[in-house]
Each structure stands twice: as structure tokens, then as C-alpha cells.
Amino acid sequence: MKSNIEIQRVEKSNIENVDFNNLPFGSVYSDHMLECDFVNGEWQTAVIKPYAPISLDPSAKIFHYGQSIFEGMKAYKDADGNTMLFRPLDNCKRLNKSAERLVIPQIPEDIFMDGLKKLLEIDNNWIPTNEGSSLYIRPFMFASGLGFHASPADEYKFIICTAPSGAYFAGKVKVLIEEKYARAANGGVGFAKAGGNYAAQFYPTQLAIQKGYNQVIWTDDNSHEYIEEAGAMNIFIRIGNTLITSPTNDRILDGITRKSIIQIAQDSGIDVEVRKITVSEVISAAQNGNLKEMFGAGTAAVISPIAGFGYQGKDYDLPELENPFATTLKKAITDIQTNKAEDPYGWRVMV
Amino acid sequence: MKSNIEIQRVEKSNIENVDFNNLPFGSVYSDHMLECDFVNGEWQTAVIKPYAPISLDPSAKIFHYGQSIFEGMKAYKDADGNTMLFRPLDNCKRLNKSAERLVIPQIPEDIFMDGLKKLLEIDNNWIPTNEGSSLYIRPFMFASGLGFHASPADEYKFIICTAPSGAYFAGKVKVLIEEKYARAANGGVGFAKAGGNYAAQFYPTQLAIQKGYNQVIWTDDNSHEYIEEAGAMNIFIRIGNTLITSPTNDRILDGITRKSIIQIAQDSGIDVEVRKITVSEVISAAQNGNLKEMFGAGTAAVISPIAGFGYQGKDYDLPELENPFATTLKKAITDIQTNKAEDPYGWRVMV
Ligand SMILES: Cc1ncc(COP(=O)(O)O)c(C=O)c1O
Ligand SMILES: Cc1ncc(COP(=O)(O)O)c(C=O)c1O
């Protein structure tokens, strides 16, 4: 272990109060959290301590200027009880990419990685073993420095919390292709996991929910003709036997699930196209029967199949396939994640 | 007083430690703050209490999903020691417009207005009397409800803090017309005072500062051909004797200073055009000598004259005028704000 981590253990674990057979998503928290403060221009000693409230001055910039970024990852237990992470360094690198865009200091990789591993060691029995469950990991960073002045803060906190979690979505979702609202601007922060991006999604999503949909399919803010993301997931669309996903750009998050799915699909002989995809092309495919599948891809839900979508007041259903790509690919990636299959890519990290 | 406010006073005021002749902007805080919690679907009793840290669970959604909005206002003392606010209800209404877009509950106008007035009564001697100084008022609301799930929180805090403040900008600023980055998307949250909008501005602003400018002039995210805002201010451009400002839209904040300046300018016989303004038009005007003035307008700086701007690697200076509109208009609006002039508009509110 390169970095020094100070450890303060809970006096009494809270784990007995948790029903691991009925876990919600992301709302039960493990005993400990990791915290590291950026003060006087440098990161201080990271501390693993009991999960507890954070105390902040009312003028802390997080409350005013939205300087906050986060990551989402999962830890799994394999059949032998080993702890598995999936491409964790990619989350660290993406957090730092987000940090750069939001003018938040870079978190050193050893604080992130060693801190995370140590935290998982200490709260190891919080990692669920039930099928479909996992330990959801939430690293985040925000401005704790003070001042009512719209400029970057001089102090920050990096925190990792974990939450034993059940599955994210219950079943198939119905989505609405967005024609008016947008989550990201050209030259904006859509590619970053910045807090503000998510708050911006709530209102359009709420309108969609009121109309009977579960999620919004985001389109570009200018023409609304290009399909970009599905809620807080990347999107895959199968037309005929070709699996299509939009290239990432400065409006789209470079999802770790997305790039893993592209790789797995290609290696299992699926024809994958990473290219811009238009709404009109999807509508035509739906009309002529070539639209076979749509699904979201992201850490929380892994793969979230879409049952149908709405566009311009019309609803389109997707067919019920016997062996959808979604099922094959979800099995393939979760088998790698949970050490049920070989990992030819070196993605899995045993802690 | 319609709403009930609970009052907890400080044991000992901190005012003796404050040098009112050397006030920074927004970084010295008055003795008290107002806090009101939204819990179980309703706003609880507002409390005025000693300015003190806020304690939040690490899973509070403010840290993760950027559900935060704010306002900026000022209180002034007139020559007789009366306390003056400027169009305060407009700030309340705008906060609620921001709230709607960010799926934050509406704050009732009486909690906002009565709470603010009571707070100013209690911390009345914190309102500076020096020329150019004022009490900066920061109402803000954020998600205090919990969960690692990208959806609106179920609990919120509404807080008002105040900070006796000196002038925001020291002198004239040099600005850079943005060609790559953007602060707001079409169909996004640019019109709201959402925290995330400000964090999104920091990186491009920092790049501009590194090139020797003070601020960025924001252009539309699609063509970068339309001039929209100046840093965190609205922008006015004088070509010949015409004062031009962009119409507000869903990317631009509907500034209270902006609309007041438009009104005052029109009523003092200045030719005002509220219309889209292109970068190329400004460049041509700069080249043929018709570009007379550019200035930002916002509560913090009131009016912030621009000395020159950069675009596509070239710098353009603005002339030094004897009687710029900026000076006349700044005097006119601050005279109304500080009760040195008649207020034919009913904008000033005596507390
Ligand atoms: C906007 C957005 N798109 C896509 C994703 C998927 O990214 P990942 O697969 O790395 O979780 C996420 C995060 O889950 C996201 O927030
Ligand atoms: C982005 C932005 N534009 C313009 C303004 C000016 O608005 P107001 O005059 O109401 O302060 C502000 C706030 O000061 C702002 O944050």
C-alpha cells in the first residue's frame, strides 16, 4: 500500500439491521466511508471512518456553484467469496477527466485505488452475495471551500461511500424520445459526471413519467435528430442484426459498460457500428420491422432493455425476441464481473 | 408578519471583528442565517439562527445530483439609515422558476419575503453604509434528501445568508468571446440560477484568464455566432447610439439588473434594441469605429464596463468615452437602489 490511510473503525457494526434479501438500490450504507481533503493546495491523509454526516459552512461552494462530480462502480463476490471490481482504474481516470472540466483538483490514483481497496477490505461483509445484488460504490468530489463568488473553490473533499444494493430497474422500460429538452450543450459538461447534469435531467424525465414513460432518450440539443443517451445510461439500438451506438462526444458520457459491451459484442461476432444514429432512422426501422432491440447500458442497471418508445405523440413497441442481444450481452458481462467466466480483457480486478 | 419565524439569537455578535472599510465580496458573513426545511411534503417553520455549519448525510443528493439553485440580491442603507431592497419579489419569483426546472419545491413568497425582512431587521447593523458597499444577500435551496439514485430528492433546505460586501470588480474588464465552450444548452437549464451552470463556466473562464482576459462572453452552443451573456452577467453593447442586448431565452438568465437598465435607458431617451446580436456585427462595428461600449449587468457588479475583447486571436479595444452610457445608467440605477433618487417604477422596497 503506497498511500497512508488513517483508519477509525466503528464501535459497533450496523450490518445486523440490514436485510440482504430485500436490498433497495443505493439507500443502505455500509459502516465506513473514506474521506480525503484537499486543503492548502494538497491532498491530506485519507481517512477511513464511520459513515457519518459531513459538516459544511453555508458558504461552501458546493451549495452555490455546483462544483461536484461523482462515479458509480460495483463490487461483487465470486463463488469463492473473493471481492471483484470491474475496470476500477477507468472510473478513477474518468473522475479526473470530470474534475478537469469542473476545475476540481485531480485525485491521485493511489489515493483512489488504495483507499477503495482498503475500504472494501474493512467493509467486506457488506458486499452482497445474492444473485443480482452487489455493493454499489460511490466515489465523489465536491467544493468545500467558501465564498459567494462564482469562481473555483480552494478546498475540496473526496469521499467514497458504499451501499449494498439490489437491482436498479425492476423490468423493461418504456422511453420517450426527447424533442424539446436537452441534458448537455456542445462545448458543455455532458461528458463529465457532473452533478448538475443529473439535476438538469429531472424535469424532462418527470414530464415523461407523467405521460407514462420511465425514462427519456436524450437527443442533441440543436436538432433533436440524433439519439445520444438513455436516461443516465448509454444507448444501444439493434436494427436487423447490427448493434448501433452513438460515438461519444462532449455531450455524452464515455460509459464503461458501453465500451465493454462494444468489445464483447464484437468478439462474439455481432456486427457493431459506432456511429451517429438518427431518430428518423429508428422510426423507419420500427415501421418496417427492422428495429429489433433497444437497451440502455450503465453500471447501475448493467443492461436495461427497452420495451417501447414514444415519439411525436406516437408509441412504438419493440418485439419480444427469444434470444435478444441484451440478454446474451448482460450475461456475458456479468459473468466476467462476478468471475463466472474467463476475462480475456483483464477487466476484472480481485481485491 | 404572516409566517411564523422562530428566532434564535447569537450570544455574542461577531461584528466587532469586521473591518467595514475593507470589505471583500461575499466572504464575511453576518451573525444570523434563515433556514427552512422541506420535509414530509411541506415547508416547516423557518428559523433565524446563528450562522453555523450545515450537517448533511454523505448521501444527500446535493453532493451527487446538483439539485441546487440560488439568488443574489443586495440591501442598502439610505442616507437616513433606512434599509432598502431592490425588486426583491422578482428574486423570489425567479428562484421559484429555477426551482421548477430543477424539480425543487416552490418556496412560498411569504417565507421568502417575511424571512428576509426579519433577517435584515435582526442583522441590521451588518448593512454597510460606505459608498459602493452593500449587504449581499444569498438565498439558496438544495436537495438534502438522501439516496444514490438519480431522481429528485424528497427533502430540501431553503437558506438565506448575508455578507457585507465591497465592490465586485475593481476596474474595467477584458473579455474573450467564446468560440468553443458553452454554458447552456437549448432546452437546458441556462435560464435558471442552477449551481451546475456556474461550475460549467469555470474551466473556459480559467482558460480565458490564462490568456490574459477576465471573463468570457458566452455565445450560443451551436454556432457561437450569437452573443448571450458576459460571465455571470447579462450583456449590453452600444453600437453608435443604440444600446443592444440579447432577448432572454432558455439559455440566458432573465437578469433583474438587465431589465431595469432597459427600462431606465428607454426612459432616459436612449435607443434600446432587444434583439439577437451577432459576433460578426460586433466585429464590424469595432472595425468601423461604431462600437462604443460594452458592459455586463448584474446584481453583484451592477454594471461592469468592458475595456476590450478578444476574438479569433485578435484583440479589440473599446474607446474611452467622456460620458459613457455605462456610467449614466449605473448612477441612475444605484441612485434608485440607495434612495438618492425618485423611484418612478416602484422597484425599491423599504424594510
Ligand atoms: C449520463 C450517463 N451515461 C452513461 C452512463 C453509463 O456509464 P457507466 O457504464 O460507466 O456506468 C452513466 C453512468 O452510469 C451516466 O450517468
Ligand atoms: C448567468 C447570469 N446572468 C445574468 C445575471 C444577472 O442577473 P441579476 O441582474 O438579476 O443579478 C446573473 C446573476 O447575477 C447570472 O448569474
Side-chain angles (χ1 to χ4, degrees):
Chain A
M1 177 135 304
K2 263 178 289 168
S3 58
N4 244 347
I5 301 172
E6 193 186 309
I7 295 169
Q8 304 162 3
R9 286 179 193 263
V10 291
E11 298 204 350
K12 192 179 165 340
S13 173
N14 191 37
I15 201 162
E16 274 119 68
N17 303 321
V18 178
D19 178 1
F20 278 78
N21 294 314
N22 286 296
L23 285 172
F25 191 93
S27 50
V28 168
Y29 311 105
S30 310
D31 283 333
H32 298 88
M33 61 195 260
L34 176 123
E35 185 177 322
C36 191
D37 288 343
F38 184 86
V39 182
N40 294 328
E42 56 187 12
W43 291 102
Q44 310 295 309
T45 304
V47 185
I48 290 177
K49 59 182 190 181
Y51 184 88
I54 302 164
S55 174
L56 290 167
D57 194 272
S59 72
K61 293 201 178 193
I62 173 68
F63 296 127
H64 308 276
Y65 304 121
Q67 255 190 311
S68 74
I69 54 175
F70 69 100
E71 275 299 326
M73 339 169 40
K74 284 177 171 176
Y76 307 87
K77 278 278 170 80
D78 74 1
D80 298 329
N82 299 305
T83 302
M84 301 290 159
L85 287 169
F86 187 69
R87 311 185 79 170
L89 204 55
D90 289 20
N91 290 95
C92 179
K93 288 187 194 301
R94 188 171 64 189
L95 187 66
N96 277 334
K97 237 174 116 180
S98 300
E100 185 186 14
R101 183 61 178 83
L102 277 292
V103 195
I104 293 175
Q106 301 287 299
I107 184 78
E109 285 182 5
D110 61 340
I111 296 182
F112 185 103
M113 290 301 298
D114 298 347
L116 175 57
K117 287 176 184 172
K118 193 77 203 166
L119 186 64
L120 293 179
E121 200 184 300
I122 290 178
D123 280 338
N124 201 262
N125 50 356
W126 285 85
I127 306 173
T129 49
N130 313 21
E131 181 83 30
S133 295
S134 61
L135 187 74
Y136 184 72
I137 301 167
R138 173 55 58 89
F140 60 110
M141 283 166 80
F142 64 85
S144 50
L146 313 183
F148 298 152
H149 201 290
S151 58
D154 57 357
E155 297 189 358
Y156 296 85
K157 280 186 189 294
F158 168 66
I159 293 176
I160 308 180
C161 295
T162 69
S165 295
Y168 196 80
F169 281 115
K172 281 201 174 185
V173 294
K174 249 184 89 187
V175 297
L176 181 66
I177 298 181
E178 185 59 59
E179 296 167 54
K180 179 176 175 193
Y181 295 100
R183 70 177 288 279
N186 299 300
V189 300
F191 72 89
K193 264 184 102 78
N197 292 338
Y198 297 83
Q201 299 185 189
F202 293 169
Y203 183 72
T205 303
Q206 186 177 261
L207 294 182
I209 289 170
Q210 281 161 7
K211 290 182 191 151
Y213 303 93
N214 306 88
Q215 284 288 347
V216 166
I217 299 292
W218 300 106
T219 49
D220 67 291
D221 81 313
N222 184 39
S223 67
H224 295 288
E225 181 54 21
Y226 295 99
I227 289 191
E228 308 215 305
E229 297 206 62
M233 291 179 285
N234 294 110
I235 187 162
F236 285 85
I237 297 177
R238 175 180 170 187
I239 296 182
N241 281 322
T242 304
L243 194 58
I244 312 166
T245 189
S246 170
T248 56
N249 58 34
D250 64 3
R251 297 185 304 271
I252 300 181
L253 195 82
D254 185 5
I256 294 164
T257 315
R258 172 185 172 279
K259 65 184 182 186
S260 306
I261 292 288
I262 292 173
Q263 182 77 58
I264 293 173
Q266 282 171 338
D267 292 350
S268 37
I270 294 173
D271 183 26
V272 181
E273 289 181 6
V274 178
R275 63 163 173 85
K276 285 187 164 197
I277 178 153
T278 62
V279 179
S280 41
E281 163 180 25
V282 172
I283 301 292
S284 308
Q287 284 165 342
N288 66 27
N290 278 332
L291 183 67
K292 302 296 181 195
E293 291 181 58
M294 289 170 67
F295 56 85
T299 295
V302 187
I303 282 183
S304 175
I306 293 169
F309 65 90
Y311 181 63
Q312 292 188 336
K314 249 196 93 173
D315 276 332
Y316 300 82
D317 287 330
L318 277 100
E320 288 277 353
L321 304 184
E322 289 231 341
N323 296 303
F325 286 174
T327 309
T328 320
L329 292 169
K330 182 169 184 174
K331 182 169 173 5
I333 191 170
T334 51
D335 280 358
I336 292 177
Q337 286 167 332
T338 55
N339 201 14
K340 286 188 192 140
E342 280 306 300
D343 171 18
Y345 312 108
W347 288 339
R348 198 165 54 215
V349 173
M350 195 191 288
V351 180
Chain B
M1 177 135 305
K2 262 178 290 168
S3 59
N4 244 346
I5 301 172
E6 192 187 312
I7 295 169
Q8 305 162 3
R9 286 178 192 264
V10 292
E11 298 203 348
K12 192 180 167 334
S13 172
N14 191 38
I15 202 164
E16 274 119 67
N17 302 319
V18 176
D19 178 2
F20 278 78
N21 293 315
N22 284 295
L23 285 172
F25 191 93
S27 51
V28 167
Y29 310 106
S30 310
D31 283 333
H32 298 87
M33 61 195 257
L34 175 122
E35 185 177 322
C36 191
D37 288 344
F38 184 87
V39 181
N40 295 327
E42 56 187 14
W43 291 102
Q44 310 296 308
T45 304
V47 184
I48 290 176
K49 58 183 190 181
Y51 184 88
I54 302 164
S55 174
L56 291 167
D57 194 272
S59 71
K61 293 202 178 194
I62 173 69
F63 296 128
H64 307 276
Y65 304 121
Q67 252 189 311
S68 74
I69 54 175
F70 68 99
E71 275 299 326
M73 339 170 41
K74 284 178 173 175
Y76 307 86
K77 279 278 170 81
D78 75 359
D80 298 329
N82 301 306
T83 301
M84 301 290 160
L85 287 169
F86 187 70
R87 311 185 78 170
L89 204 56
D90 289 21
N91 291 95
C92 179
K93 287 187 194 300
R94 189 170 63 188
L95 187 66
N96 278 335
K97 237 175 117 181
S98 301
E100 185 186 16
R101 183 60 179 85
L102 278 291
V103 194
I104 293 174
Q106 301 287 301
I107 184 79
E109 284 182 6
D110 61 340
I111 295 182
F112 185 102
M113 290 301 297
D114 297 348
L116 175 57
K117 287 176 184 171
K118 193 77 203 164
L119 186 64
L120 293 180
E121 198 183 301
I122 290 180
D123 280 338
N124 201 264
N125 51 356
W126 285 85
I127 306 173
T129 49
N130 313 22
E131 181 84 29
S133 294
S134 61
L135 188 74
Y136 183 72
I137 301 166
R138 171 56 57 90
F140 59 110
M141 283 167 80
F142 64 87
S144 51
L146 313 184
F148 298 152
H149 201 291
S151 57
D154 57 356
E155 298 189 356
Y156 295 84
K157 279 185 189 294
F158 168 67
I159 293 176
I160 308 179
C161 295
T162 68
S165 294
Y168 196 79
F169 282 115
K172 281 201 175 186
V173 295
K174 248 184 88 186
V175 298
L176 180 66
I177 298 182
E178 185 58 59
E179 295 167 56
K180 178 176 175 192
Y181 295 100
R183 70 177 288 280
N186 300 300
V189 300
F191 72 88
K193 264 184 103 79
N197 292 338
Y198 298 82
Q201 299 185 188
F202 292 169
Y203 183 72
T205 303
Q206 186 178 261
L207 293 182
I209 290 171
Q210 280 161 8
K211 290 183 191 149
Y213 302 93
N214 306 87
Q215 284 288 349
V216 167
I217 298 293
W218 300 105
T219 49
D220 67 293
D221 80 313
N222 184 40
S223 67
H224 295 288
E225 181 56 20
Y226 295 99
I227 288 189
E228 307 214 307
E229 297 206 61
M233 291 179 285
N234 295 110
I235 187 163
F236 284 84
I237 297 177
R238 174 179 170 188
I239 297 182
N241 280 324
T242 304
L243 193 58
I244 312 166
T245 188
S246 170
T248 55
N249 58 33
D250 64 3
R251 296 184 305 269
I252 299 181
L253 195 84
D254 185 6
I256 294 165
T257 315
R258 172 186 171 278
K259 65 184 182 186
S260 307
I261 291 289
I262 292 173
Q263 183 77 57
I264 294 172
Q266 282 170 337
D267 293 349
S268 37
I270 294 174
D271 182 25
V272 181
E273 289 181 7
V274 179
R275 62 162 173 87
K276 284 187 165 198
I277 178 154
T278 62
V279 179
S280 41
E281 164 181 23
V282 173
I283 301 291
S284 308
Q287 284 166 342
N288 67 27
N290 278 333
L291 183 68
K292 301 296 181 196
E293 288 181 62
M294 289 170 67
F295 56 84
T299 296
V302 189
I303 282 182
S304 174
I306 292 169
F309 66 90
Y311 182 64
Q312 293 187 336
K314 250 195 92 170
D315 277 332
Y316 300 82
D317 288 330
L318 277 102
E320 288 277 352
L321 304 184
E322 290 231 342
N323 295 305
F325 286 173
T327 310
T328 320
L329 293 167
K330 182 169 184 174
K331 182 169 174 0
I333 190 171
T334 51
D335 280 357
I336 292 176
Q337 288 167 332
T338 55
N339 201 12
K340 285 189 193 143
E342 278 308 300
D343 171 17
Y345 311 107
W347 289 337
R348 198 165 52 215
V349 174
M350 194 189 292
V351 180

